[in-house]
Amino acid sequence: MKGSRTYRIHTLIVAIVLAACQPDEILPLEVREPSIDAEVQVYVDRFVEEANKRGVNVDVSDLGISVREHIHPVRAAGACHYFSESEHPHIYIDTTSLNWQHSEYTREMLVFHELGHCLLDRDHREDLLENGNYASLMRSDKGVLFGTRLNAYKRAYYLDELFNENQGPPGWSALRDTAQIPSNSIVFQEDFEDNRYNWKLGNTGQSRREIENDALHIQSLAKGAIFTGKHISISPYQDFEVEAKIRLVEGNRPVLLQWGGDSPESLFYFGYGADRFAMLGHTQTGIIGGRTHPALRTNGFNHLRIRKTGNTYTFFINNEVFDQTQFEPLEGDLWGFYIGSYGKIEISHFSIKK
């Protein structure tokens, strides 16, 4: 089996920063002993445990894993190496990468992905499930597949597929009913023709805020995030739909539609960055789902929609389904928008229907 792996490197590119895999980069030759750095051992043990649960035997006796700050010359979060048929498989993990630093879930995804290459002989798999999620943890894109809020239940499928590439799609991947909520049930609508809803406007040392040309313009002038929002009460037992049309004008930080908490520190979010990376998450736990989305416009307005139907959330980008996941009850009635350091955004529409 190892003969097919001769002189091969697999890499998983740094999440949210880089966009493609570089499987043919070669690292400098060095001594690679079959030893595993202590901070990675817990994930290797977990990998073996999950394999055993599924009747798969994996041998880690000749595996080496090294953690370091940056993997040169490859700009990747992780890399799996086979330089010859007889050489021990060796994995390098970049501890400065967002994959490693972001959360326990993304750290596990990173290590499991590289172990999938080195121990299971898995190649990359790029197809999507019906609901827009990646079909495999072996994707090469910087996608985040699951997290601690909304969609932790998806982890079981991704591990099933990791150890059995013929695994069928999970039940949660079937696209559920996404019938549009009638437009005559508007709770709140703002098209920014004026400031009838009293958005905070004006200039400070931190920001500029103005309504002009039927849009709310917000610019961050310093390091640090800016949030602007409204308290809008809506029953969590009702179906609802939220829409926003947003343009990221400047900056390399994402623009986010936020909701469902009682302060900016306790909100869910849905948004995107300048590199067309769309993301779903919570301010306390970070990104729980994300992938590069071709429907995103880099220069124009993007139409974001969140539809809650029964116990299901459906997320749309420019009328295309981005993700569908389990609804989690709202923890507050604050709705609004996030802009990152030194960024500039425009919002031309914001509405809530129930």
Side-chain angles (χ1 to χ4, degrees):
M1 188 120 167
K2 287 185 181 178
S4 65
R5 295 167 170 163
T6 301
Y7 211 66
R8 184 168 86 182
I9 293 182
H10 286 285
T11 61
L12 180 64
I13 296 304
V14 182
I16 316 168
V17 178
L18 303 175
C21 195
Q22 301 170 355
D24 298 323
E25 290 269 19
I26 304 300
L27 296 182
L29 185 64
E30 60 183 64
V31 176
R32 289 172 291 276
E33 297 295 336
S35 63
I36 299 171
D37 280 9
E39 55 189 314
V40 183
Q41 186 66 56
V42 62
Y43 301 102
V44 177
D45 293 343
R46 193 182 300 168
F47 183 89
V48 173
E49 178 184 355
E50 295 293 349
N52 289 337
K53 287 179 183 177
R54 294 161 176 83
V56 177
N57 294 318
V58 292
D59 181 7
V60 299
S61 61
D62 66 345
L63 174 68
I65 303 182
S66 301
V67 297
R68 58 182 57 189
E69 294 184 2
H70 308 299
I71 306 173
H72 297 292
V74 180
R75 296 181 65 203
C80 165
H81 301 258
Y82 275 93
F83 283 89
S84 70
E85 183 175 350
S86 61
E87 190 175 3
H88 302 294
H90 202 95
I91 292 171
Y92 292 95
I93 299 294
D94 182 353
T95 57
T96 68
S97 69
L98 290 179
N99 304 71
W100 182 260
Q101 295 184 352
H102 184 69
S103 73
E104 172 70 11
Y105 280 86
T106 59
R107 188 174 294 193
E108 179 189 85
M109 287 179 215
L110 170 59
V111 178
F112 278 28
H113 180 100
E114 297 307 329
L115 290 170
H117 285 316
C118 266
L119 299 184
L120 303 177
D121 201 25
R122 288 293 304 267
D123 288 320
H124 287 137
R125 179 182 175 185
E126 313 292 7
D127 55 311
L128 302 178
L129 298 169
E130 184 180 339
N131 67 349
N133 290 186
Y134 272 106
S136 176
L137 192 147
M138 299 308 298
R139 79 281 179 248
S140 63
D141 182 53
K142 52 192 174 181
V144 179
L145 307 175
F146 50 83
T148 56
R149 305 294 295 263
L150 294 177
N151 64 359
Y153 62 90
K154 295 181 178 181
R155 177 179 179 270
Y157 160 75
Y158 285 108
L159 296 191
D160 288 344
E161 192 281 336
L162 176 63
F163 295 104
N164 175 17
E165 55 188 308
N166 296 315
Q167 174 72 35
W172 52 257
S173 69
L175 197 60
R176 295 171 176 81
D177 181 27
T178 59
Q180 190 168 356
I181 295 175
S183 58
N184 61 0
S185 55
I186 294 173
V187 175
F188 181 91
Q189 180 165 316
E190 171 66 280
D191 293 305
F192 301 104
E193 297 170 349
D194 50 38
N195 195 25
R196 69 186 68 183
Y197 290 112
N198 297 314
W199 297 91
K200 181 180 179 181
L201 303 179
N203 299 336
T204 69
Q206 302 294 313
S207 66
R208 294 194 184 108
R209 307 168 190 238
E210 61 183 359
I211 291 178
E212 185 179 38
N213 298 324
D214 296 334
L216 174 61
H217 301 249
I218 307 174
Q219 183 174 10
S220 170
L221 303 175
K223 186 176 182 179
I226 294 174
F227 174 83
T228 186
K230 297 287 182 185
H231 288 278
I232 305 171
S233 180
I234 185 169
S235 170
Y237 302 103
Q238 291 180 303
D239 291 344
F240 59 80
E241 183 171 283
V242 184
E243 295 184 80
K245 294 181 180 178
I246 309 173
R247 184 165 83 97
L248 179 57
V249 182
E250 296 175 5
N252 57 10
R253 300 292 294 169
V255 54
L256 305 173
L257 169 61
Q258 297 186 284
W259 77 99
D262 55 11
S263 74
E265 291 75 36
S266 63
L267 297 173
F268 297 103
Y269 62 76
F270 174 40
Y272 68 96
D275 57 354
R276 289 182 173 169
F277 187 80
M279 62 198 74
L280 171 66
H282 191 274
T283 52
Q284 293 179 351
T285 55
I287 298 173
I288 59 176
R291 64 182 172 90
T292 303
H293 200 287
L296 279 166
R297 305 181 183 103
T298 55
N299 296 317
F301 281 92
N302 286 289
H303 182 189
L304 306 183
R305 179 187 298 136
I306 305 167
R307 184 175 296 156
K308 183 261 184 183
T309 308
N311 292 320
T312 300
Y313 266 138
T314 309
F315 300 88
F316 300 84
I317 297 175
N318 295 327
N319 297 316
E320 292 188 17
V321 173
F322 165 69
D323 198 354
Q324 191 168 73
T325 191
Q326 181 175 291
F327 170 72
E328 186 164 320
L330 307 181
E331 300 171 351
D333 62 357
L334 188 59
W335 306 74
F337 302 90
Y338 163 101
I339 175 174
S341 303
Y342 303 105
K344 183 178 181 181
I345 65 171
E346 297 177 7
I347 308 161
S348 65
H349 175 82
F350 175 46
S351 65
I352 302 173
K353 298 184 291 186
K354 68 177 182 180

